[in-house]
Amino acid sequence: MQVTIHNSTFESWLLPSEIAEAVSIIAEQIRKDFPKERIVLMCVMKGSVVFFADLLRQIPGEVEMGFISASSYRGTASTGIVQIHSRSEISLKGKVCILVEDIVDTGQTIQAIRDVLSLDQPKALKVATLLYKKETFLGGDEPDYVGIEITNEFVVGYGLDFDELGRNLEGIYKLKG
Ligand code: IMP
Ligand code: MG
């Protein structure tokens, strides 16, 4: 199946069932690593909202939510400049915090967010990402929980956008080259 967004064609790539499977594996890994603890799931807006909502409901026990808004991307190429716009007032001091990202590409966005949140002195600060473009990762801390490792394709759907569109697609689509 194909979709057209801003005059570009995208083709179906990762099915909702594959995504759901990856999400439940991440949830299990997180609960296994922190069996009894209260977990603060921190949603990196806006691309992670869909993944975050699904992951949240797969983790049993005590879970709090927080939100942080950051951006580094314009169109299909990263600007390399990470801006943090806002974050919820939740204190992470002494808590287990899992940052929830839609995709780690160069890794700059998540690194900038990690650096800011670590100033709160959480007991643990981990990163869960649905998608990981390992080839384009520039180094630093690798994500702790990875749903699906992908090749260097530009993708939309399941929260991910191409200039704000495509987030509402249920599956993940890749740009047709
Ligand atoms: P990084 O800082 O290069 O790791 O970029 C991460 C951010 O860029 C993600 O949180 C996404 O918002 C965006 N991004 C990276 N790759 C894609 C993509 O293939 N499709 C849509 N957004 C992307
Ligand atoms: Mg994002």
Side-chain angles (χ1 to χ4, degrees), residues 1 17 93 109 115 123 128 133 146 151:
M1 218 189 66
S17 56
K93 193 170 170 67
T109 307
D115 292 347
K123 177 170 147 192
K133 292 185 190 172
V146 174
T151 47

Side-chain angles (χ1 to χ4, degrees), residues 18-159:
E18 296 174 67
I19 299 168
E21 172 73 16
V23 174
S24 64
I25 291 171
I26 293 181
E28 268 172 39
Q29 290 170 335
I30 292 173
R31 226 349 139 207
K32 195 164 153 261
D33 289 349
F34 303 100
K36 299 258 183 286
E37 271 141 313
R38 178 181 300 203
I39 292 167
V40 182
L41 270 196
M42 197 83 175
C43 178
V44 181
M45 304 281 273
K46 297 183 275 198
S48 308
V49 166
V50 179
F51 171 41
F52 177 81
D54 283 346
L55 183 64
L56 175 81
R57 289 172 293 172
Q58 296 288 320
I59 303 175
E62 297 190 345
V63 183
E64 286 183 53
M65 352 182 204
F67 296 88
I68 186 159
S69 167
S71 62
S72 71
Y73 236 68
R74 293 288 174 272
T76 56
S78 180
T79 61
I81 299 159
V82 181
Q83 284 176 289
I84 293 177
H85 309 289
S86 63
R87 60 168 284 196
S88 37
E89 301 273 316
I90 189 167
S91 169
L92 303 177
K93 193 170 170 67
K95 292 184 180 170
V96 172
C97 175
I98 314 277
L99 276 167
V100 180
E101 251 294 31
D102 48 359
I103 185 163
V104 172
D105 182 4
T106 64
Q108 286 176 308
T109 307
I110 205 65
Q111 193 63 52
I113 295 170
R114 243 191 228 258
D115 292 347
V116 167
L117 296 185
S118 65
L119 299 174
D120 271 27
Q121 297 179 299
K123 177 170 147 192
L125 184 58
K126 306 280 183 193
V127 171
T129 186
L130 179 68
L131 304 175
Y132 181 29
K133 292 185 190 172
K134 204 176 178 145
E135 287 168 28
T136 48
F137 186 67
L138 289 176
D141 301 316
E142 286 216 299
D144 303 279
Y145 307 99
V146 174
I148 304 167
E149 219 177 277
I150 62 166
T151 47
N152 186 18
E153 308 282 350
F154 186 78
V155 292
V156 295
Y158 195 72

